[in-house]
Coordinates of all heavy atoms in Angstrom, one line a residue:
M1 N 105.0 183.3 62.1 CA 103.9 184.1 61.5 C 102.7 183.3 61.3 O 101.6 183.8 61.5 CB 104.4 184.7 60.2 CG 105.5 185.8 60.3 SD 106.1 186.4 58.7 CE 104.7 186.7 57.8
E2 N 102.8 182.0 60.9 CA 101.7 181.2 60.7 C 100.9 181.0 62.0 O 99.7 181.1 62.0 CB 102.1 179.8 60.2 CG 102.5 179.8 58.7 CD 102.9 178.4 58.2 OE1 102.5 177.4 58.9 OE2 103.6 178.3 57.2
Q3 N 101.6 180.8 63.1 CA 100.9 180.6 64.4 C 100.1 181.8 64.8 O 99.1 181.7 65.4 CB 101.9 180.3 65.5 CG 102.5 178.9 65.3 CD 103.6 178.7 66.4 OE1 104.0 179.6 67.1 NE2 104.0 177.4 66.5
R4 N 100.6 183.0 64.4 CA 99.9 184.3 64.8 C 99.1 184.8 63.6 O 98.4 185.8 63.8 CB 101.0 185.3 65.2 CG 101.7 184.8 66.5 CD 102.7 185.8 66.9 NE 103.4 185.3 68.0 CZ 103.1 185.4 69.3 NH1 102.0 186.1 69.6 NH2 103.9 184.9 70.2
S5 N 99.0 184.1 62.5 CA 98.2 184.5 61.4 C 98.4 186.0 61.0 O 97.5 186.7 60.9 CB 96.7 184.2 61.6 OG 96.5 182.9 61.9
I6 N 99.7 186.3 60.8 CA 100.0 187.7 60.3 C 100.7 187.7 59.0 O 101.4 186.7 58.7 CB 100.7 188.5 61.4 CG1 102.1 188.0 61.6 CG2 100.0 188.6 62.7 CD1 103.0 188.9 62.3
T7 N 100.6 188.8 58.3 CA 101.2 188.9 57.0 C 102.6 189.5 57.2 O 102.9 190.0 58.2 CB 100.4 189.8 56.1 OG1 100.4 191.1 56.6 CG2 99.0 189.2 55.9
Q8 N 103.4 189.5 56.1 CA 104.7 190.2 56.1 C 104.5 191.7 56.4 O 105.3 192.3 57.0 CB 105.4 189.9 54.8 CG 105.9 188.5 54.6 CD 106.7 188.3 53.4 OE1 107.0 189.3 52.6 NE2 107.1 187.1 53.1
E9 N 103.5 192.3 55.8 CA 103.2 193.7 56.0 C 102.9 194.0 57.5 O 103.5 194.9 58.0 CB 102.0 194.1 55.2 CG 101.8 195.6 55.2 CD 100.7 196.0 54.2 OE1 100.5 195.4 53.2 OE2 100.0 197.0 54.5
E10 N 102.1 193.1 58.1 CA 101.8 193.3 59.6 C 103.1 193.1 60.4 O 103.3 193.9 61.3 CB 100.7 192.4 60.0 CG 99.4 192.7 59.4 CD 98.4 191.6 59.6 OE1 98.8 190.4 59.5 OE2 97.2 191.9 59.8
L11 N 103.9 192.1 60.0 CA 105.2 191.9 60.7 C 106.1 193.2 60.6 O 106.7 193.6 61.6 CB 105.9 190.7 60.2 CG 107.2 190.3 60.8 CD1 107.1 190.0 62.3 CD2 107.8 189.1 60.1
G12 N 106.1 193.7 59.4 CA 106.9 194.9 59.2 C 106.5 196.1 60.0 O 107.3 196.8 60.6
R13 N 105.2 196.2 60.2 CA 104.7 197.3 61.1 C 105.2 197.1 62.5 O 105.5 198.1 63.2 CB 103.2 197.4 61.1 CG 102.6 198.2 59.9 CD 101.2 198.5 60.1 NE 100.4 197.3 59.9 CZ 99.7 197.0 58.9 NH1 99.7 197.7 57.8 NH2 99.0 195.9 58.8
L14 N 105.2 195.9 63.0 CA 105.7 195.6 64.3 C 107.1 196.0 64.6 O 107.5 196.4 65.7 CB 105.5 194.1 64.7 CG 104.1 193.6 64.9 CD1 104.1 192.0 65.0 CD2 103.5 194.2 66.1
V15 N 108.0 195.8 63.5 CA 109.4 196.0 63.7 C 109.9 197.3 63.0 O 111.1 197.6 63.0 CB 110.2 194.8 63.3 CG1 109.9 193.6 64.2 CG2 110.0 194.4 61.8
G16 N 109.0 198.0 62.3 CA 109.4 199.2 61.6 C 110.0 199.0 60.3 O 110.9 199.8 59.9
L17 N 109.6 198.0 59.5 CA 110.2 197.7 58.2 C 109.1 197.7 57.2 O 107.9 197.3 57.5 CB 110.9 196.4 58.2 CG 112.1 196.2 59.1 CD1 112.5 194.7 59.1 CD2 113.2 197.1 58.5
A18 N 109.4 198.0 55.9 CA 108.5 197.8 54.8 C 108.4 196.3 54.5 O 109.3 195.5 54.8 CB 109.0 198.6 53.6
Q19 N 107.3 195.9 53.8 CA 107.2 194.5 53.5 C 108.3 193.9 52.7 O 108.7 192.8 52.9 CB 105.8 194.3 52.7 CG 105.5 192.9 52.4 CD 106.1 192.4 51.1 OE1 106.3 193.2 50.2 NE2 106.5 191.1 51.0
P20 N 108.9 194.6 51.7 CA 110.0 194.0 50.9 C 111.2 193.7 51.8 O 111.9 192.7 51.6 CB 110.3 195.1 49.9 CG 109.0 195.8 49.7 CD 108.4 195.9 51.1
A21 N 111.4 194.6 52.8 CA 112.6 194.4 53.7 C 112.3 193.1 54.6 O 113.2 192.3 54.9 CB 112.8 195.6 54.6
V22 N 111.1 192.9 55.0 CA 110.7 191.8 55.8 C 110.9 190.5 54.9 O 111.5 189.5 55.4 CB 109.2 191.8 56.3 CG1 108.8 190.5 56.9 CG2 109.1 192.9 57.3
S23 N 110.5 190.6 53.7 CA 110.6 189.4 52.8 C 112.1 189.0 52.6 O 112.4 187.8 52.6 CB 110.0 189.8 51.4 OG 110.2 188.7 50.5
K24 N 113.0 190.0 52.5 CA 114.4 189.7 52.4 C 115.0 189.1 53.6 O 115.8 188.2 53.5 CB 115.2 191.0 52.0 CG 114.9 191.5 50.6 CD 115.7 192.7 50.3 CE 115.4 193.2 48.9 NZ 116.2 194.4 48.5
R25 N 114.5 189.5 54.8 CA 115.0 188.9 56.0 C 114.4 187.4 56.2 O 115.1 186.5 56.6 CB 114.6 189.7 57.2 CG 115.5 190.9 57.3 CD 114.9 192.1 58.1 NE 115.8 193.2 58.2 CZ 116.1 194.1 57.3 NH1 115.5 194.0 56.1 NH2 116.9 195.1 57.5
L26 N 113.2 187.2 55.8 CA 112.6 185.9 55.9 C 113.2 184.9 55.0 O 113.3 183.7 55.2 CB 111.1 186.0 55.8 CG 110.3 186.7 56.9 CD1 108.8 186.8 56.5 CD2 110.5 186.0 58.2
S27 N 113.6 185.4 53.8 CA 114.2 184.5 52.8 C 115.7 184.3 53.1 O 116.3 183.4 52.4 CB 114.1 185.1 51.4 OG 114.9 186.3 51.3
G28 N 116.3 185.0 54.0 CA 117.7 184.9 54.3 C 118.6 185.7 53.5 O 119.8 185.7 53.6
E29 N 118.0 186.6 52.6 CA 118.8 187.5 51.8 C 119.5 188.5 52.6 O 120.6 189.0 52.3 CB 117.9 188.1 50.7 CG 118.6 188.9 49.7 CD 117.7 189.5 48.6 OE1 116.7 188.8 48.3 OE2 118.0 190.5 48.1
R30 N 118.8 189.0 53.7 CA 119.3 190.0 54.6 C 119.2 189.4 56.0 O 118.3 188.6 56.3 CB 118.6 191.3 54.5 CG 118.5 191.9 53.2 CD 119.7 192.7 52.9 NE 119.8 193.9 53.7 CZ 120.4 195.0 53.4 NH1 121.0 195.0 52.2 NH2 120.5 196.0 54.2
R31 N 120.0 189.9 56.9 CA 119.9 189.4 58.3 C 119.1 190.4 59.2 O 119.1 191.6 58.9 CB 121.3 189.3 58.9 CG 122.1 188.2 58.3 CD 123.4 188.0 59.1 NE 124.1 186.9 58.5 CZ 125.2 186.4 59.1 NH1 125.7 186.9 60.1 NH2 125.7 185.3 58.5
W32 N 118.4 189.8 60.2 CA 117.7 190.7 61.1 C 118.7 191.5 61.9 O 119.7 191.0 62.3 CB 116.9 189.8 62.0 CG 115.7 189.1 61.3 CD1 115.7 187.9 60.8 CD2 114.4 189.7 61.1 NE1 114.4 187.6 60.3 CE2 113.6 188.7 60.4 CE3 113.8 190.9 61.4 CZ2 112.3 189.0 60.1 CZ3 112.5 191.1 61.0 CH2 111.8 190.2 60.4
Q33 N 118.3 192.7 62.2 CA 119.1 193.6 63.1 C 118.6 193.3 64.5 O 117.5 193.0 64.8 CB 119.0 195.0 62.7 CG 119.4 195.3 61.3 CD 120.9 195.1 61.1 OE1 121.7 195.6 61.9 NE2 121.3 194.3 60.1
V34 N 119.5 193.6 65.5 CA 119.2 193.3 66.9 C 118.0 194.1 67.3 O 117.1 193.6 67.9 CB 120.4 193.6 67.8 CG1 120.0 193.6 69.2 CG2 121.5 192.7 67.5
D35 N 117.9 195.4 66.9 CA 116.8 196.2 67.3 C 115.4 195.7 66.8 O 114.4 195.8 67.4 CB 117.0 197.7 67.0 CG 117.2 197.9 65.5 OD1 117.7 197.1 64.8 OD2 116.8 199.0 65.1
E36 N 115.5 195.1 65.6 CA 114.3 194.5 65.0 C 113.8 193.3 65.7 O 112.7 193.1 66.0 CB 114.6 194.1 63.5 CG 114.9 195.3 62.6 CD 115.5 195.0 61.3 OE1 115.9 193.8 61.1 OE2 115.7 195.9 60.5
L37 N 114.8 192.5 66.1 CA 114.5 191.3 66.9 C 113.9 191.6 68.3 O 113.0 191.0 68.8 CB 115.7 190.4 67.1 CG 116.2 189.7 65.8 CD1 117.5 189.0 66.0 CD2 115.1 188.7 65.3
V38 N 114.5 192.7 68.9 CA 114.0 193.1 70.2 C 112.6 193.6 70.1 O 111.7 193.3 70.9 CB 114.9 194.2 70.8 CG1 114.3 194.9 72.0 CG2 116.3 193.6 71.1
A39 N 112.3 194.4 69.0 CA 110.9 195.0 68.8 C 109.9 193.8 68.6 O 108.8 193.8 69.2 CB 110.9 195.9 67.6
L40 N 110.3 192.8 67.8 CA 109.4 191.7 67.6 C 109.2 190.9 68.9 O 108.1 190.5 69.2 CB 110.0 190.8 66.5 CG 109.2 189.7 66.0 CD1 107.8 190.1 65.6 CD2 109.9 188.9 64.9
S41 N 110.3 190.7 69.6 CA 110.1 189.9 70.9 C 109.2 190.6 71.8 O 108.4 190.0 72.5 CB 111.5 189.6 71.5 OG 112.0 190.7 72.1
R42 N 109.3 191.9 71.9 CA 108.4 192.7 72.8 C 107.0 192.6 72.3 O 106.0 192.4 73.1 CB 108.9 194.1 72.9 CG 110.1 194.3 73.7 CD 110.5 195.7 73.8 NE 111.7 195.8 74.6 CZ 112.6 196.8 74.5 NH1 112.4 197.8 73.7 NH2 113.7 196.8 75.3
A43 N 106.8 192.8 71.0 CA 105.4 192.7 70.4 C 104.7 191.4 70.7 O 103.5 191.3 70.9 CB 105.5 193.1 69.0
W44 N 105.5 190.3 70.6 CA 105.0 189.0 70.7 C 105.1 188.4 72.1 O 104.5 187.3 72.4 CB 105.6 188.0 69.7 CG 105.1 188.2 68.3 CD1 104.1 189.0 67.9 CD2 105.6 187.6 67.1 NE1 103.9 188.9 66.6 CE2 104.8 188.0 66.1 CE3 106.6 186.7 66.9 CZ2 105.0 187.6 64.8 CZ3 106.8 186.2 65.6 CH2 106.0 186.7 64.5
G45 N 105.8 189.1 73.0 CA 105.9 188.6 74.4 C 106.7 187.4 74.5 O 106.4 186.5 75.4
V46 N 107.7 187.3 73.7 CA 108.7 186.1 73.8 C 110.1 186.7 73.8 O 110.3 187.8 73.5 CB 108.5 185.2 72.6 CG1 107.1 184.6 72.5 CG2 108.9 185.9 71.3
S47 N 111.0 185.8 74.2 CA 112.4 186.3 74.3 C 113.0 186.2 72.9 O 112.5 185.5 72.0 CB 113.2 185.4 75.2 OG 113.4 184.1 74.7
V48 N 114.1 187.0 72.7 CA 114.9 186.9 71.5 C 115.4 185.5 71.3 O 115.4 185.0 70.1 CB 116.0 188.0 71.4 CG1 116.9 187.8 70.2 CG2 115.4 189.4 71.5
D49 N 115.8 184.8 72.3 CA 116.2 183.5 72.2 C 115.2 182.6 71.6 O 115.5 181.7 70.7 CB 116.6 182.9 73.6 CG 117.9 183.4 74.1 OD1 118.8 183.9 73.3 OD2 118.2 183.2 75.3
E50 N 113.9 182.8 72.0 CA 112.8 182.0 71.4 C 112.7 182.3 69.9 O 112.4 181.4 69.1 CB 111.5 182.2 72.1 CG 111.5 181.6 73.5 CD 110.3 182.0 74.3 OE1 110.2 183.1 74.8 OE2 109.3 181.2 74.3
L51 N 112.8 183.5 69.6 CA 112.7 183.9 68.1 C 113.7 183.3 67.3 O 113.4 182.9 66.2 CB 112.8 185.4 68.0 CG 111.6 186.3 68.5 CD1 112.0 187.8 68.3 CD2 110.4 185.9 67.7
I52 N 115.0 183.2 67.8 CA 116.0 182.7 66.9 C 116.3 181.2 67.2 O 117.2 180.6 66.5 CB 117.4 183.5 67.1 CG1 117.9 183.4 68.6 CG2 117.2 184.9 66.7 CD1 119.2 184.1 68.8
G53 N 115.5 180.6 68.1 CA 115.6 179.2 68.3 C 116.8 178.7 69.1 O 117.3 177.7 68.8
S54 N 117.2 179.6 70.0 CA 118.3 179.1 70.9 C 117.8 179.3 72.4 O 116.7 179.7 72.6 CB 119.5 180.0 70.7 OG 119.3 181.3 71.1
G55 N 118.7 179.0 73.3 CA 118.3 179.1 74.7 C 118.3 177.8 75.4 O 118.5 176.7 74.7
P56 N 118.0 177.8 76.6 CA 117.9 176.5 77.4 C 117.0 175.5 76.8 O 115.9 175.8 76.4 CB 117.5 177.0 78.8 CG 117.7 178.4 78.8 CD 117.7 178.9 77.4
G57 N 117.5 174.3 76.7 CA 116.6 173.2 76.3 C 116.6 173.0 74.8 O 116.1 172.0 74.3
R58 N 117.1 173.9 74.0 CA 117.0 173.8 72.5 C 117.9 172.7 72.0 O 117.6 172.0 71.1 CB 117.4 175.1 71.8 CG 116.4 176.3 72.1 CD 115.0 175.9 71.8 NE 114.9 175.9 70.3 CZ 113.8 175.7 69.7 NH1 112.7 175.6 70.3 NH2 113.8 175.7 68.4
E59 N 119.1 172.5 72.6 CA 120.0 171.5 72.2 C 119.4 170.1 72.5 O 119.5 169.2 71.7 CB 121.3 171.6 72.9 CG 122.1 172.8 72.6 CD 121.7 174.1 73.3 OE1 121.0 173.9 74.4 OE2 121.9 175.2 72.8
E60 N 118.7 170.0 73.7 CA 118.1 168.7 74.0 C 116.9 168.4 73.1 O 116.7 167.2 72.7 CB 117.6 168.8 75.5 CG 118.7 169.0 76.5 CD 118.1 169.5 77.8 OE1 116.9 169.5 78.0 OE2 118.9 169.8 78.7
A61 N 116.2 169.4 72.7 CA 115.0 169.2 71.8 C 115.5 168.7 70.4 O 114.8 168.0 69.7 CB 114.2 170.4 71.7
A62 N 116.6 169.2 70.0 CA 117.2 168.9 68.7 C 117.7 167.4 68.6 O 117.8 166.8 67.6 CB 118.3 169.8 68.3
S63 N 118.1 166.9 69.8 CA 118.7 165.5 69.7 C 117.6 164.4 70.0 O 116.5 164.6 70.1 CB 119.8 165.4 70.7 OG 119.4 165.8 72.0

């Protein structure tokens, strides 16, 4: 969100959630649903793997 300079409210609009629901997901109180991650990945033009920090090369980058 920082890289894209958007608020929780704006993020919520992208995935169809109210700001309080976004806040709960970002804090770890609730988990993201697959459809929400897909909507966000489409809106930002990145893969779901990139959003969740997995995929090719992630293990190498961590070590």
Side-chain angles (χ1 to χ4, degrees):
M1 289 176 48
E2 284 181 21
Q3 290 176 346
R4 295 179 186 273
S5 298
I6 68 167
T7 64
Q8 289 183 6
E9 187 174 331
E10 292 167 324
L11 180 62
R13 277 193 289 259
L14 289 173
V15 297
L17 295 171
Q19 183 276 327
V22 171
S23 179
K24 288 181 181 181
R25 282 156 177 80
L26 293 174
S27 71
E29 187 177 332
R30 303 277 291 205
R31 291 188 177 187
W32 290 95
Q33 300 297 308
V34 172
D35 60 327
E36 297 162 355
L37 291 173
V38 170
L40 186 55
S41 74
R42 287 181 179 157
W44 283 354
V46 299
S47 71
V48 173
D49 283 343
E50 289 175 278
L51 287 177
I52 62 173
S54 68
R58 296 303 289 185
E59 296 80 21
E60 296 165 7
S63 54

